[in-house]
Amino acid sequence: PNKLGGVIALVMSIAILFFLPILHNSKFQGLQFYPLNQILFWYMLMIVILLTWIGARPVEDPYILTGQILTVVYFLYYILNPMITYLWDKILNT
């Protein structure tokens, strides 16, 4: 419902993809060695599909709250993914 908040979220959702390769500092290149990150990846894919569906819905009461919750979870992925990768690297090194 807030246009400025929507524009900021749109810009941040694209900008975060540019910073992703810079922040990637794991020991392995692929996700096949990070089982928790694999699960998070599939949750992320599901969230993107749901956000796409919510974006096509009218601006009404249940869709607004659902879109806000999914947006928070979308950005939370980019916080949790490096943390879980770091913890998994620590577990593998010990």
Side-chain angles (χ1 to χ4, degrees):
N2 185 357
K3 290 198 182 282
L4 179 62
V7 170
I8 291 172
L10 177 67
V11 169
M12 289 303 297
S13 68
I14 300 299
I16 204 164
L17 296 175
F18 287 114
F19 292 114
L20 204 57
I22 297 168
L23 298 174
H24 181 74
N25 56 0
S26 62
K27 304 251 185 236
F28 303 110
Q29 290 296 320
L31 281 179
Q32 65 265 24
F33 299 111
Y34 298 105
L36 293 176
N37 293 66
Q38 289 176 356
I39 295 169
L40 274 179
F41 170 77
W42 290 110
Y43 279 130
M44 177 65 169
L45 185 65
M46 187 171 44
I47 289 166
V48 168
I49 291 170
L50 286 173
L51 277 171
T52 304
W53 176 73
I54 285 292
R57 301 287 107 207
V59 182
E60 293 178 354
D61 193 19
Y63 302 124
I64 294 171
L65 182 63
T66 306
Q68 289 172 344
I69 291 170
L70 287 173
T71 302
V72 169
V73 174
Y74 173 83
F75 286 110
L76 193 63
Y77 169 79
Y78 293 107
I79 296 170
L80 288 177
N81 193 26
M83 290 172 44
I84 291 175
T85 303
Y86 175 76
L87 289 174
W88 194 257
D89 284 340
K90 283 284 229 192
I91 290 171
L92 290 178
N93 285 337
T94 56

